[in-house]
């Protein structure tokens, strides 16, 4: 049975689709299923932000076909690991946990690179192109560590 990983940010158009695409590019997709979601309902059904699509494409990753969706409590049943992009996402997701086992699946993604430091992946939405480059680099490093563990 495949391991299932969910990447979560606020709107599911910048960070989490990038993380989904990056991790998917590093694993055997028959063995690891990667999806993404947002804690808000702002962008349900929307494609990723064009800047995320562009930085992914520059790194030979296609995320243009992804569509935003909202995190729901049944995702705890569906996924083995839930990686959130920042502390606010962590709180939003863990507040929906129904039991200890649900909360135990939720992790801050950059703790894979900086264990126990609870560092946020900054939201690049209101910044310029460099913010998306920086976020890609952070997520690439974290996804490399996750891929090695899986």
């Amino acid at each position: 049975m495949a391991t299932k990983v969910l990447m979560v940010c606020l709107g599911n158009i910048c960070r989490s689709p990038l993380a989904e695409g990056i991790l998917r590019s590093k694993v055997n997709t028959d063995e690891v299923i990667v999806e993404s979601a947002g804690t808000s309902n702002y962008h349900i059904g929307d494609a990723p932000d064009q800047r995320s699509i562009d930085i992914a494409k520059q790194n030979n990753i296609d995320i243009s076909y992804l569509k935003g969706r909202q995190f729901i409590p049944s995702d705890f049943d569906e996924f083995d690991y839930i990686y959130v992009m920042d502390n606010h996402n962590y709180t939003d997701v863990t507040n929906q946990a129904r039991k200890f086992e649900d909360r135990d699946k939720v992790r801050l993604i950059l703790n894979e690179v900086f264990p126990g430091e609870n560092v946020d992946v900054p939201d690049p939405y209101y910044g310029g192109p460099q913010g998306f480059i920086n976020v890609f680099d952070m997520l690439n490093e974290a996804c490399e560590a996750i891929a090695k563990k899986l």
Side-chain angles (χ1 to χ4, degrees):
M1 190 164 152
T3 300
K4 295 188 82 178
V5 179
L6 183 65
M7 302 296 190
V8 180
C9 69
L10 177 64
N12 193 213
I13 59 166
C14 294
R15 297 171 291 174
S16 58
L18 264 178
E20 176 182 351
I22 293 167
L23 184 58
R24 195 178 281 162
S25 76
K26 296 179 182 298
V27 297
N28 178 336
T29 55
D30 291 333
E31 296 174 5
V32 181
I33 295 166
V34 187
E35 295 181 22
S36 62
T39 58
S40 75
N41 62 0
Y42 306 146
H43 299 288
I44 294 172
D46 292 351
D49 186 287
Q50 188 62 49
R51 296 166 293 179
S52 285
I53 292 171
D54 291 345
I55 190 65
K57 188 174 185 178
Q58 290 169 26
N59 290 277
N60 300 312
I61 298 170
D62 181 13
I63 62 169
S64 63
Y65 62 94
L66 300 177
K67 299 290 180 214
R69 76 167 183 88
Q70 188 172 15
F71 179 87
I72 52 176
S74 62
D75 286 330
F76 288 115
D77 301 325
E78 187 74 21
F79 293 91
D80 302 297
Y81 300 97
I82 300 170
Y83 284 100
V84 297
M85 302 298 123
D86 63 36
N87 284 278
H88 191 262
N89 304 146
Y90 183 87
T91 299
D92 287 345
V93 170
T94 57
N95 281 344
Q96 295 183 58
R98 302 152 304 179
K99 56 190 175 194
F100 177 77
E101 290 81 9
D102 290 351
R103 291 180 65 93
D104 200 40
K105 293 181 177 187
V106 185
R107 299 170 174 156
L108 282 160
I109 195 165
L110 288 185
N111 276 351
E112 296 298 325
V113 180
F114 308 106
E117 293 186 27
N118 300 335
V119 177
D120 289 346
V121 176
D123 189 339
Y125 186 78
Y126 292 107
Q130 188 61 45
F132 284 82
I133 294 167
N134 295 344
V135 165
F136 182 92
D137 291 344
M138 289 175 200
L139 293 175
N140 192 45
E141 187 175 358
C143 287
E144 188 67 35
I146 294 167
K148 286 179 182 171
K149 290 168 84 169
L150 297 175

